[in-house]
Amino acid sequence: MIQATYGPNMAEIQRVSSMGPAAWIDQQFLTASMDTHWDYVMVRRGPPGCTVCDSSFINSAMESFWMQAVRGPDQLRQRTVLALSEIFVVSNINSQIDSVEGAHASYLDMLSRNAFGNFRQLLEQVATHPAMGQYLSHFRNEREDPVTGRIPDENFAREVMQLFTIGLWQLNVDGTRRRDGSGNFIPTYIQDDVSGLARVFTGWSWGGPDRSDSRWNGWIGVNNWREQMQNYPSYHSRSEKRFLGVTIPANTSGEESLRIALDTLFNHPNTGPFIGRQLIQRLVTSNPSPAYVGRVAAAFNNNGSGVRGDMRAVLRAVLLDPEARDPNIANQATWGKLREPMVRFGNWMRAFDARTQSQPLMYRIWNLEDNVRSLGQNPLRAPSVFNWFRPDYAPPGEVMSRNLVAPEFQITHETTVTGYANFISWGVERGHGDNNTLVLANYAPEIALANNPAALMDRLNLLLTAGRMSTSTRQIILGAVNAVPAADSTRRVHTAVTLTMISPDFIVQK
C-alpha cells in the first residue's frame, strides 16, 4: 500500500488483505478518476459539488492535485501520475507557464489518461503537449535559416533523450552501464544527435482547425491547452535529419518526422531499463538490483503478448516483483527509499481522513516548498526539468562510498529536516490552513485507544509504518505517550502521531 498509493487507510488495508496485491492492482487499473483537473480548475473553479466556486490562478491546480491524491479512489493511478510528473517534469518555476493554471491542469489530466496505457503514446502526448512545448521551448520552434544563422532550439531534443527515454549512457537490459573495449562508459548520443533531433521539433504550435500564421502566433486559439500541438509546414525544417543512426530524408513532413523520431527513442534498447529503474525508484526502492531492473525492462520490452511499452505490464512488474514483496529483502539495510515529503503529507491525510469541516470538501494546500516552515516540496513547482531530486543523486558519506544512491536526500538537509518536524507537529495538532479551509484529521479511532498506549501504537504501526516500527522506536514513543496524563487522551494521540511521523521508521519506506 505504501508503494502504490499516497498512503493506506484501514479500509484499503483490509481490502488489499482480502483481495491480494495482484487482484487489487488489476482492480485499480479499472478504477476511474473522481474528477478531471480541467473541470476543477477551468470549468467549475472549485471541487465537485461547490456552489460558491472561487478557486483561481495556479493555486487551483494545486487544490485539484491534492483533492485527487487524498480522496481519489484510483490511488495507483495518482501515485503513478506523481512518478511520471517527476520524470516528465513541467513546472511553474522559471517558466513561461508560471501562473497558467489551465496548462498544468491539462498536463496532469494527460498524464492520468496515459498512466495505464502505452509508453509510446505517453511519450508522444508529452512531446506534443503545449505545456511541455512552452516549458522546454520547442513551442513555435522555427526551422534553421542559413541567411540569418538561426538554428532550431535544442532544449527539448536534448531532454527527451537525456531525461525522458534513453539517458546519457548506453545500458544493458538490467540497467547497468555498458563499456567499450577500453572499459569506458559509452554515451548514448552526441551533440550532432541533439542538433539533428532538434529539427524534428520545429513547426509545432497551437492545435486547431487551421494552420494559419494567426494560430501559429497565438493571435487566435491561444490557451488551447487541452489540444495537442500541431505541425505547421511553413515553419518545419525541410532538411535531412540525422540522429541515433537514423536518417529522416529531406522534405519529410513534421508529423512523419515526429513519428520516426519517437519510434526510434521508444524502440531504443535503453528505454526499458532507463524508465523501469526510475519507476522502481519512485515507487519501491532507491537501489534495485540489476536483476529486478532487468525483469521490469523485460516487461517493458514485451508484455507477454508481444506488445512493447505496456504500462500496466510495467507497473505489475514493478510492484509484484519478488524483491518488492519479499519481507526478508525489505529488511536489508540497503533496501527501501526515503519517502518524499509530499507523500508523507499525503500519508497523514489519508490515514486520518483529514478534510475540511465545511462542505464540499476541498484541499486548499498551496506553496509547501518553504524549507523552514513547510515541507520543502510542492506539486507543480519543481525547481527545474531535473525535478526536485535526480535519480542518481548520492549524498556524501556512506551512501556514496558504497556506490548507492538516495535521490530524495537531495532535498533533505538540516533545514528541511527541522522544517518538516515543525510542520508536522503543528499540523497533527492544529491541521493545515485556516477558517473554512482548515484541513483537520479525524483521530476518533485513535483517541478511543488512548488509554491503551500499546494498542494505539499497534494501530499507528500498521497505518504509518506498514508494521515495521522498530522496538526501540516503539519504546521511545510509548514513553512519551505514557508521560502525558491519561485524562488528556487527545494530546496522547497527537504525541504518538507526531513522533511516529518524524521517526526514521516512517520517513524511510521499507
Side-chain angles (χ1 to χ4, degrees), residues 106-364:
S106 174
Y107 191 76
L108 287 173
D109 282 337
M110 179 276 294
L111 293 180
S112 180
R113 287 193 305 272
N114 289 280
F116 299 154
N118 191 280
F119 185 83
R120 173 61 177 79
Q121 174 72 5
L122 169 64
L123 181 61
E124 183 165 337
Q125 293 271 295
V126 167
T128 60
H129 196 284
M132 179 61 78
Q134 296 217 19
Y135 183 61
L136 287 186
S137 60
H138 60 295
F139 185 85
R140 289 204 294 261
N141 188 16
E142 297 189 42
R143 66 170 179 255
E144 67 278 7
D145 186 339
V147 175
T148 65
R150 182 182 66 218
I151 61 173
D153 186 290
E154 297 179 347
N155 196 19
F156 184 76
R158 181 176 293 104
E159 306 305 0
V160 74
M161 291 191 289
Q162 179 181 350
L163 301 178
F164 299 170
T165 52
I166 64 176
L168 293 172
W169 307 103
Q170 290 187 27
L171 303 174
N172 297 303
V173 72
D174 64 3
T176 57
R177 293 181 185 177
R178 296 178 58 197
R179 296 178 184 269
D180 62 19
S182 301
N184 300 312
F185 297 133
I186 308 169
T188 53
Y189 61 87
I190 60 176
Q191 178 56 38
D192 286 348
D193 296 310
V194 176
S195 299
L197 189 57
R199 294 177 180 177
V200 172
F201 297 106
T202 55
W204 296 91
S205 187
W206 296 111
D210 60 69
R211 287 172 168 78
S212 65
D213 283 353
S214 293
R215 191 170 299 280
W216 163 269
N217 287 300
W219 300 332
I220 59 173
V222 69
N223 295 331
N224 187 10
W225 299 107
R226 297 187 79 190
E227 193 163 345
Q228 299 298 122
M229 293 189 294
Q230 65 184 3
N231 196 261
Y232 291 70
S234 57
Y235 294 94
H236 181 69
S237 173
R238 301 187 182 97
S239 302
E240 181 181 83
K241 308 169 181 72
R242 296 188 179 196
F243 54 91
L244 300 177
V246 171
T247 299
I248 299 177
N251 297 316
T252 301
S253 70
E255 293 84 357
E256 180 64 5
S257 294
L258 180 73
R259 184 193 66 76
I260 295 170
L262 296 186
D263 281 350
T264 300
L265 294 172
F266 174 62
N267 289 301
H268 194 286
N270 263 36
T271 304
F274 183 74
I275 294 298
R277 183 174 183 271
Q278 289 192 72
L279 289 174
I280 295 171
Q281 288 183 306
R282 298 282 58 76
L283 299 175
V284 180
T285 185
S286 295
N287 294 281
S289 72
Y292 185 3
V293 175
R295 289 188 290 270
V296 173
F300 181 97
N301 295 339
N302 186 338
N303 69 351
S305 300
V307 176
R308 182 180 178 86
D310 179 354
M311 291 295 291
R312 294 187 182 195
V314 171
L315 288 167
R316 285 191 188 98
V318 168
L319 295 169
L320 297 177
D321 190 86
E323 292 189 33
R325 303 268 56 84
D326 188 339
N328 292 322
I329 292 176
N331 288 333
Q332 295 175 2
T334 58
W335 185 260
K337 65 188 292 290
L338 201 68
R339 294 194 218 204
E340 54 192 285
M342 291 193 308
V343 175
R344 297 178 221 160
F345 189 39
N347 287 173
W348 172 72
M349 288 188 280
R350 283 184 51 77
F352 304 109
D353 193 24
R355 58 171 71 197
T356 51
Q357 305 308 294
S358 59
Q359 294 292 327
L361 301 181
M362 63 179 67
Y363 290 84
R364 291 198 165 171

Side-chain angles (χ1 to χ4, degrees), residues 40 47 62-63 66-67 69-71 345-366 368 423-443 494:
Y40 190 113
M62 296 181 208
E63 292 177 25
W66 283 113
M67 173 65 81
V70 177
R71 312 303 307 185
F345 189 39
N347 287 173
W348 172 72
M349 288 188 280
R350 283 184 51 77
F352 304 109
D353 193 24
R355 58 171 71 197
T356 51
Q357 305 308 294
S358 59
Q359 294 292 327
L361 301 181
M362 63 179 67
Y363 290 84
R364 291 198 165 171
I365 301 170
W366 311 331
L368 301 173
F423 177 83
I424 288 300
S425 63
W426 176 277
V428 164
E429 180 178 349
R430 300 173 180 87
H432 183 84
D434 51 44
N435 300 325
N436 66 325
T437 66
L438 180 64
V439 176
L440 280 173
N442 174 17
Y443 297 120
H494 291 164

